[in-house]
Amino acid sequence: MSPLALSILISSLSTGTIITMSSYHWLFAWFGLEMNTLAVIPLISKPHHPRATEAATKYFLTQAAAAAMILFASTLNAWSSGQWTILHPTTQPAALMMLIALAMKLGLAPMHFWYPEVLQGSSLPTALLMSTWQKLAPLALLLMMLNHLPQTALFTLGLLSAYIGGLAGINQTQTRKIMAFS
């Protein structure tokens, strides 16, 4: 990949994260998340290998499904409350759907089905980028919504993530899969 293309992808990745973290409107947050997704896909498929192409396809399909859930939950919230702001109290179904979508974006168990395979199919620098920088924007949204999410669902998601990640990572010998389950 040329240095110009790589710098454009990295700058759009950082711009998408900044847009998501600084937005108080659901559409801008969604736009930043999608900007991140579209910047990472060429980085995953950069080594022209069938495994990298498969990983990029799995990543795109999962992130597109999570983005559709975010749009649907924010539309449901705007329909019931008349507000598109993130900090406005949401309805229970919209909050639960948003929690599931953000868990899919983060790769938290039990919505982690895509994460180990995508990390295994990508290069190590891309896997490190997806495991660190790519998590900042969904985590910021999760923290902004923390008071409006059901606490039992958050607690259950945290326990399941630690339990499933610990059990699944025990028998792994590949570094990227261990990193995915940790």
Side-chain angles (χ1 to χ4, degrees):
M1 184 175 290
S2 71
L4 180 63
L6 185 64
S7 65
I8 289 172
L9 290 175
I10 297 297
S11 66
S12 65
L13 182 69
S14 60
T15 303
T17 303
I18 291 170
I19 287 172
T20 301
M21 291 176 77
S22 63
S23 66
Y24 289 101
H25 194 276
W26 276 117
L27 289 179
F28 288 125
W30 171 81
F31 177 73
L33 288 172
E34 288 308 297
M35 201 169 169
N36 274 350
T37 299
L38 293 176
V40 168
I41 290 172
L43 294 175
I44 294 172
S45 63
K46 180 175 60 172
H48 298 292
H49 190 270
R51 192 171 203 159
T53 305
E54 179 187 355
T57 305
K58 285 179 182 178
Y59 180 76
F60 173 73
L61 290 175
T62 306
Q63 297 297 313
M69 284 179 72
I70 288 173
L71 276 179
F72 183 67
S74 60
T75 305
L76 185 66
N77 183 42
W79 188 15
S80 65
S81 68
Q83 299 277 336
W84 281 91
T85 59
I86 294 173
L87 299 176
H88 191 269
T90 61
T91 61
Q92 197 72 4
L96 197 57
M97 190 176 301
M98 189 63 68
L99 179 63
I100 291 170
L102 290 175
M104 278 177 68
K105 285 251 180 221
L106 286 168
L108 294 176
M111 278 65 86
H112 72 290
F113 55 90
W114 62 275
Y115 196 59
E117 298 300 321
V118 169
L119 281 191
Q120 187 61 32
S122 61
S123 65
L124 190 59
T126 305
L128 289 172
L129 180 83
M130 286 180 8
S131 294
T132 54
W133 186 267
Q134 195 69 8
K135 306 288 185 205
L136 292 177
L139 270 176
L141 286 176
L142 194 64
L143 286 175
M144 278 195 263
M145 290 188 52
L146 197 58
N147 293 331
H148 308 298
L149 294 173
Q151 299 299 316
T152 56
L154 280 172
F155 185 70
T156 305
L157 194 64
L159 278 178
L160 275 175
S161 185
Y163 184 72
I164 292 173
L167 285 180
I170 286 176
N171 204 20
Q172 297 298 325
T173 58
Q174 299 164 337
T175 306
R176 282 172 266 176
K177 281 200 175 181
I178 292 171
M179 190 169 65
F181 284 119
S182 67

